[in-house]
Amino acid sequence: MTTAHHTLTAQASDAAIDTACRMLRLPTMRAQAADTIARAEREGLSYAGFLAELLMAECEDRDRRRAERRIRAAHFPREKSLREFDYTANPNVTPAVINGLASCEWIAKGYPLCLIGDSGTGKSHLLIALGTTAAMAGYRVRYTTAAALVNELVEAADDKQLGKTIARYGRVDLLEIDELGYLELDRRGAEMLFQVLTEREEKSSIAIASNEAFTGWSKTFTDPRLCAAIVDRLTFNAALIETGTESYRLARTRAKNNGTK
């Protein structure tokens, strides 16, 4: 069976391309077709080169849109990037270590990450920035604070939806828990959090940020055995980054005030 070939006018060709791109859901090719055709005619691109450019543009745009969807699904509270992190303001954090984490190899292996340090030392910045990097690399990420997560788990338990909620948190590639150690958790909340950690143990990565050293976690998890079990879950094969005690935000505010005097 042979396929009939039709000679189309330029106007008819443009209309056919537009219609086909709509039907095949190729919005980037549709948007760039006219300019690419004009450039191909000017520069003498081969048919293969012309087609490759349009297809690559569509693929790159789809990758970008997918990354944007993953970033939105992560529920980051604000935008942060690794480029913005000021290593000179916090010498405790070394670029080589962060660049290594940006490769996302630890996520591929299901390893944990613990960021420990005082308020204002860059923990949340690094947590969000590394999560954003992971989302852009194709990983499913979910950010939450410890208090918000425990509240959600308690509400789910009251609605008899705890199993589904824990399973949902178990499906993401990277779960990020910020502000762990700020508030004391009652036994019920701590046990539910432990269930989330157990669901992910040695399968999928958890990254946490805490203003308390592990030795002080007994103030958050008041049951000693449960506290020890949670620390064990979060530190096995973990990358540990200590961001120190000097607040970057406070130092910047002081420098700004001194500069205005």
Side-chain angles (χ1 to χ4, degrees), residues 26-174:
L26 303 170
T28 305
M29 289 183 67
R30 176 172 170 263
Q32 296 188 16
D35 289 342
T36 307
I37 289 169
R39 191 162 62 80
E41 291 173 345
R42 266 195 330 269
E43 300 176 5
L45 285 180
S46 66
Y47 294 127
F50 161 72
L51 182 60
E53 287 212 10
L54 278 179
L55 289 172
M56 288 304 298
E58 184 68 44
C59 290
E60 289 170 4
D61 201 47
R62 287 191 179 191
D63 283 344
R64 179 187 59 78
R65 292 197 301 271
R66 280 194 290 264
E68 288 174 351
R69 286 195 294 271
R70 287 192 295 270
I71 290 170
R72 286 195 299 271
H75 294 172
F76 297 121
R78 53 197 170 274
E79 291 184 10
K80 292 292 181 182
S81 73
L82 293 178
R83 291 192 312 274
E84 297 169 338
F85 190 80
D86 189 351
Y87 293 100
T88 60
N90 191 341
N92 294 296
V93 181
T94 58
V97 171
I98 301 304
N99 290 339
L101 291 171
S103 72
C104 298
E105 185 178 349
W106 59 287
I107 302 173
K109 293 179 178 179
Y111 289 170
L113 166 65
C114 299
L115 297 158
I116 309 293
D118 283 4
S119 296
T121 56
K123 302 185 305 299
S124 293
H125 185 137
L126 290 172
L127 194 67
I128 295 169
L130 287 168
T132 301
T133 300
M136 292 177 67
Y139 292 99
R140 295 166 297 173
V141 182
R142 183 68 166 89
Y143 170 98
T144 184
T145 63
L149 176 56
V150 169
N151 287 340
E152 184 180 352
L153 294 171
V154 170
E155 290 176 7
D158 292 341
D159 295 336
K160 296 183 171 50
Q161 298 292 316
L162 182 60
K164 288 183 179 179
T165 302
I166 290 174
R168 175 159 49 80
Y169 277 105
R171 285 192 294 270
V172 297
D173 301 308
L174 171 61

